[in-house]
Structures are given as C-alpha cells and as structure tokens.
Amino acid sequence: MNKELIINAAPQGVEIALLEDKKLVELHHEKADASFAVGDLYLGKVKKLIPGLNAAFVDVGFEKDAFLHYTDLSPYARSLLKFTQQAISDNSPQGFNFATFQVEPEIIKTGKINEVLSGKPNILVQILKEPIAAKGPRLSCEISLPGRFVVITPFNDIVAVSRKIHSAEERKRLQKIVEAIKPKNFGVIVRTAAEGKNTAELHEDLAELVETWQTIQGNLKGAVAPAKILSEQTKTTSILRDLLNEDFNRVVVNDRNIYNDTRNYIQRIAPEKAEIVSFYNNGLPIFDQYGITKQVKAAFGKTVNLPSGAYLIIEHTEALHVIDVNSGYKSVGNNQEQNALETNLEAAAEISRQLRLRDLGGIIVVDFIDMKLPDNKRKLLEAMEECMRPDRAKHAVLPISKFGLMQITRQRMKPEVNINTQEVCPSCAGTGKISSTLLLEDEIEKNLSYLITHQHKDLTLVVHPIMHAYLTKGSLFKSKQWKWRWKYGQKVKIRENTNYHLTEFHFFDKHDDEIKL
C-alpha cells in the first residue's frame, strides 16, 4: 500500500491529509492557536470533588473545568501526587534523580475519588480527550509518553509487548532487550513497529523518552497551576511517528519551516526515509494539485456516492451516528441476494474510510441491505473487520442483528471533522433568484461605453463560458463582439473563465490588470 502525507500550511493553521493508494483516508486540522490536544501534559488544580460520579473537576486553564474520573486516575495516583509536589518544590540545579524516587502503594480499583484527591491538590494530568461540544477536556493520570518503538509509563516496572506481534520468539526477544535497558521506575510497552528492531534502535528511542520525562520534571519546578507542562508533538510528527513504515513513500509540504522540521524529524528516526520529504511551491494550491480538495467535496456531506451507483446516507444525532446503505441503480445480476452482498461489501470499505476521515466516534449503527443467508452475513462481518484493521482508534464491530443492523463502537478522542461541502450560490447569494440575463448584456455594454469614453484602450472582457459563447456566437460581423467593434471603433477581446459564475464579468487593461468600476 502506498502512503502519502500532504501538508497544507495556511495562516489559520495546518491541514494534513493522509492518502492510501491516492485515496484520502484521514484529514487532520491543527489550528495555529491549538491547545488542549490529546497527549498534552498540564499541571492542574483540583477544583471540585463529585463523590456521586466518583470524579473530580480540574482547572487546567480551559474555559470549562476538565473532567477526571476515578477509573482514569492510574493505580499509581499517589506516586504521581507525591512526584508532582516534589518536582514543584525541588531546588536542586540538576533536578532530583527519578531512579531513586520511592513509589507509593497502588490505589484500589474500587476506591473513592475523595480518598485520593482530598485537600484538592495540584496534580500532573494528561489530556485524554479534547474538548467536545459543551464539554471540557477529559483527563487521565495514567501518564504515557509514546515513541516510535516503545511507550514509557512512569512509576511502574512492567514490560509489555504488543499483541499484534504474533511470533512468540520475537516477543521473548523484545521482552529480554527492553528488560535489560529499561531504567528504574519506568514501565515500557513495546509497540508493533519494534518488530525486528535491534537493541541500539530500541535503546535510542527509550533514551529520548526518558529525556522527555526529565524535561517534564524540569518544567514542573516552581510551576503554578494551571500551567501547560509539555505539548504533544505537532500533528505532523505524531502521525509520522505512528505511521512511518516501508509503505510510506512521500511527504509533501508547502511551508519551508514545516518542511525543515519534518525532514529533520525523519532524518533522526529513519535516516533511510529522509528523501521522501519534498517542498511544494508550484503556484496551484497543494490540495488541488493532489486531488484532495475534490475528494473532500465528494466525501463529506449527507450523501456519499459509491462507484457502482450505490450510495450512503450519513446522519448524526447527539447519541449516535446512523449510516443507511442504498443500492442505487446498478444491478450486478438477477440474483437479489448476490446483488445485496456485492453492494454491502463495497459499502463496508467506504464506511470504514468514512469513519477515519470524519473521525466519527461513539456508537455507529449501519443499516445494510437485507441479506437472508447466514454465510453472506458472516462474509460482511469479516470484510468490515478487515477494512477497519488499519484504523488506529480503538473500535469494536458486532455481528449483524436480527433487524439487519450492524453496530460499531469507535473511540472518540476529539470533535468529528465536519466540512460543509455546499456553497452559497455566488450568482443569487442564496436567494434563489438572479437578475435577468437579458439585462446582463445591456449592463456589460453600458460599462464598456463608459470605459471607452474615458479613453481606455485594448480592453479585455472576461466572462463565464456560457456568456462567452453568447457574445461571440454568430458568423463574422454578426456577433455582439463585432457589433461593439463597429459601434465603438476599437476591438474588445472576450475571454472565458470557468471560475466565474454565470452573471459575473470583469474588464482588464492591456497589462492584464483589472479595471475597477
């Protein structure tokens, strides 16, 4: 599979498009003033304990207090509280040695929030979910710092290897390596990308993460809550960190600073891949050049068309998302069951893409076309699971119910991407009415007459293609263009522009500068 990352930098922020085999599968927006992104670390002040919810509201500087549930406290919450206070009040120039930190006993799973956070202390927290709708951020005290091959979790000594590494020998090998190089007081999760990597590569990744933890420790010194302690990497580098593999063959950027940062980052984590980064300055917008704008217009909106003629209807409510599959006009054959299966399999591939593209989370209910045979229902379930496999968000797919519905749950980390693909008609400005085209010709001629009487020469009139055809139609000496030439004694060039709306026109001088009327 060919993977490409196209990065469009604009004043209001950065847009990142991930293409798989030229097809848009993920679209990320990173606002210029972005804050409270998933993974960011904050020093928060506990404001309110809610025993009924077994949760706390924490001030992290957002307009609404963030939410911290007991289940997100981490077994090492007491160690984290002790570390936070110790790091804030630490006066030593180098900072205290974390390897000598005495870890506190774990909290019990069925405990109460007011037993752990009594006294409303300051605590180091990590953003688990970005602010969504009217809700503040969701927090976690299970601090984790992800690298390319490993993830470190402070205060425990556990080594875990990704279940996606199936070889028992490889899992044992990685476990031994990490146990040998792991510093004290850090737990390590070995990621799938570590498969086949040597000790030096794993050690380098681990050392960088330990260094990041030391930076956090330094940033806490003298900090006053609420305060940001560490930002997650930029979206670009975090996507590259999680996705960069042999399938990745191109990263295109239209901003020199992001280009340099991206290239340096890849040079550091995968020197052999540094050449895949290229700088784009072709004039045409970068998303237009790579066909992303067109794909966005086609993929977002209530109706999504499929190549076969089938289509999806996607509706959103507060509690869930509903997707209806319709067969459209195409028939694969006379067998109704086979038609339904073919359409459903095509829809499954597009639905999995839509979930990633729009970043839909929570409960998704899909109404597939009814099928009678259990074998076909099983095939559809297997196809859906396979299509969802590349999705990095945690998800679960249930078999088709008696009512022919499939239920999917998908981790919700941030607000869904919602792009309005409809545009206000530039001709009527949304009123549904435009001035008569009969009067348009008179209006153009009136402006032309005014310009010529004010000594303008070598004029060019630019109009919509339909208007261009109307003004230049007819045999020689009979078109409007020729009539104007005879009437005003000079030639007027007429040029078409597909970007103009039907009743739009502009005059340009011989230097191709627009003449403002």
Side-chain angles (χ1 to χ4, degrees):
M1 185 183 288
N2 253 345
K3 286 185 182 173
E4 298 168 284
L5 210 61
I6 312 298
I7 302 165
N8 177 35
Q12 63 272 23
V14 179
E15 290 180 298
I16 303 160
L18 175 65
L19 304 179
E20 288 179 359
D21 294 332
K22 304 290 181 191
K23 200 163 191 181
L24 181 65
V25 291
E26 287 184 30
L27 191 63
H28 300 271
H29 296 264
E30 189 175 19
K31 291 179 183 171
D33 58 349
S35 198
F36 304 100
V38 172
D40 285 355
L41 288 164
Y42 281 82
L43 176 63
K45 168 75 178 165
V46 177
K47 294 294 288 288
K48 198 187 291 181
L49 298 172
I50 315 289
L53 293 173
N54 207 12
F57 283 101
V58 182
D59 179 14
V60 289
F62 188 65
E63 59 198 46
K64 295 204 170 185
D65 288 340
F67 183 78
L68 174 63
H69 194 269
Y70 187 87
T71 52
D72 294 319
L73 267 185
S74 151
Y76 304 97
R78 287 200 175 94
S79 299
L80 182 63
L81 282 164
K82 178 181 165 185
F83 168 79
T84 306
Q85 297 312 317
Q86 207 170 315
I88 290 170
S89 54
D90 181 33
N91 292 320
S92 56
Q94 298 298 322
F96 66 88
N97 183 2
F98 186 66
T100 62
F101 179 82
Q102 290 298 310
V103 175
E104 296 293 304
E106 294 182 24
I107 63 171
I108 58 171
K109 285 183 180 177
T110 53
K112 303 292 179 191
I113 194 91
N114 45 3
E115 292 168 3
V116 182
L117 298 180
S118 59
K120 299 181 181 175
N122 292 340
I123 187 167
L124 183 66
V125 289
Q126 193 164 27
I127 304 292
L128 188 64
K129 288 183 182 178
E130 292 178 17
I132 297 172
K135 299 174 185 173
R138 176 90 182 252
L139 303 177
S140 170
C141 288
E142 296 201 56
I143 308 297
S144 62
L145 302 177
R148 194 170 174 220
F149 305 127
V150 296
V151 177
I152 66 166
T153 54
F155 312 114
N156 70 51
D157 274 313
I158 297 161
V159 174
V161 181
S162 166
R163 291 179 197 162
K164 290 181 182 176
I165 298 174
H166 300 298
S167 163
E169 280 182 24
E170 179 62 6
R171 290 166 66 86
K172 248 182 229 174
R173 182 186 78 86
L174 290 168
Q175 182 107 15
K176 275 185 185 173
I177 291 172
V178 172
E179 280 173 353
I181 62 176
K182 181 184 76 62
K184 195 170 183 304
N185 282 341
F186 285 108
V188 179
I189 300 161
V190 182
R191 304 182 74 171
T192 315
E195 194 167 3
K197 300 301 174 189
N198 59 38
T199 307
E201 289 172 298
L202 296 172
H203 186 268
E204 188 184 348
D205 200 35
L206 186 58
E208 278 184 21
L209 295 175
V210 171
E211 205 175 293
T212 303
W213 181 251
Q214 287 165 353
T215 304
I216 292 166
Q217 200 174 313
N219 291 348
L220 277 169
K221 196 181 288 188
V224 178
K228 183 184 272 195
I229 301 301
L230 190 84
S231 283
E232 164 68 315
Q233 293 171 306
T234 62
K235 280 268 197 323
T236 309
T237 49
S238 61
I239 290 169
L240 286 170
R241 178 192 67 205
D242 294 343
L243 294 179
L244 191 67
N245 57 22
E246 59 280 357
D247 293 339
F248 237 100
N249 68 342
R250 185 155 55 167
V251 180
V252 189
V253 194
N254 69 345
D255 179 88
R256 185 61 72 179
N257 292 332
I258 298 174
Y259 165 76
N260 290 332
D261 290 348
T262 307
R263 191 177 168 83
N264 292 340
Y265 179 74
I266 294 184
Q267 183 74 52
R268 187 160 53 81
I269 66 165
E272 74 285 357
K273 285 273 182 188
E275 295 309 312
I276 68 173
V277 188
S278 60
F279 179 65
Y280 177 87
N281 60 348
N282 245 6
L284 194 69
I286 188 169
F287 273 15
D288 290 0
Q289 175 69 30
Y290 290 94
I292 294 162
T293 308
K294 188 175 180 183
Q295 288 196 55
V296 167
K297 294 286 186 190
F300 286 86
K302 184 177 168 180
T303 304
V304 178
N305 294 309
L306 305 178
S308 70
Y311 60 96
L312 310 176
I313 303 287
I314 303 177
E315 298 270 16
H316 310 280
T317 72
E318 185 65 30
L320 49 80
H321 305 281
V322 183
I323 302 175
D324 186 29
V325 180
N326 293 282
S327 58
Y329 59 83
K330 185 180 175 186
S331 286
V332 178
N334 294 326
N335 186 328
Q336 189 180 344
E337 182 78 7
Q338 186 61 26
N339 288 350
L341 176 63
E342 294 286 344
T343 304
N344 286 340
L345 291 176
E346 183 188 25
E350 182 59 28
I351 289 165
S352 66
R353 171 179 171 246
Q354 287 289 333
L355 299 188
R356 287 173 72 187
L357 192 53
R358 300 181 189 220
D359 211 1
L360 300 183
I363 300 169
I364 299 110
V365 177
V366 186
D367 181 10
F368 282 106
I369 297 167
D370 287 342
M371 297 185 295
K372 302 279 190 295
L373 301 179
D375 267 5
N376 287 343
K377 292 179 182 179
R378 184 180 44 77
K379 278 181 193 171
L380 179 57
L381 175 65
E382 287 169 359
M384 195 73 205
E385 287 172 337
E386 186 59 37
C387 291
M388 294 284 289
R389 205 179 298 282
D391 195 339
R392 288 177 293 147
K394 288 178 188 171
H395 58 268
V397 182
L398 294 182
I400 293 173
S401 70
K402 286 181 180 178
F403 297 138
L405 304 174
M406 179 182 283
Q407 295 170 72
I408 301 168
T409 60
R410 188 173 181 274
Q411 187 180 24
R412 188 175 186 179
M413 304 286 282
K414 57 182 184 173
E416 67 178 82
V417 178
N418 192 11
I419 297 172
N420 187 4
T421 57
Q422 294 182 320
E423 298 169 5
V424 173
C425 169
S427 298
C428 70
T431 63
K433 296 175 182 178
I434 59 171
S435 57
S436 169
T437 47
L438 294 171
L439 301 177
L440 179 62
E441 180 195 330
D442 293 342
E443 194 182 342
I444 293 172
E445 189 169 345
K446 185 175 72 178
N447 285 312
L448 176 62
S449 173
Y450 172 81
L451 291 173
I452 289 172
T453 55
H454 284 75
Q455 309 306 310
H456 285 277
K457 294 188 176 178
D458 298 321
L459 292 169
T460 301
L461 170 66
V462 182
V463 291
H464 184 273
I466 293 174
M467 199 62 198
H468 177 271
Y470 172 73
L471 295 174
T472 57
K473 73 174 182 179
S475 57
L476 198 59
F477 309 125
K478 287 196 177 178
S479 68
K480 288 287 174 192
Q481 187 179 14
W482 272 98
K483 284 178 181 174
W484 288 342
R485 181 170 184 174
W486 287 113
K487 185 173 180 179
Y488 298 110
Q490 63 170 275
K491 186 178 179 182
V492 179
K493 292 178 192 163
I494 302 179
R495 209 166 62 217
E496 59 185 316
N497 188 326
T498 52
N499 292 324
Y500 281 23
H501 58 79
L502 182 62
T503 59
E504 185 179 2
F505 66 90
H506 296 283
F507 284 98
F508 293 82
D509 62 20
K510 61 182 175 185
H511 304 297
D512 216 23
D513 293 327
E514 187 184 342
I515 303 167
K516 299 290 183 188
L517 288 161

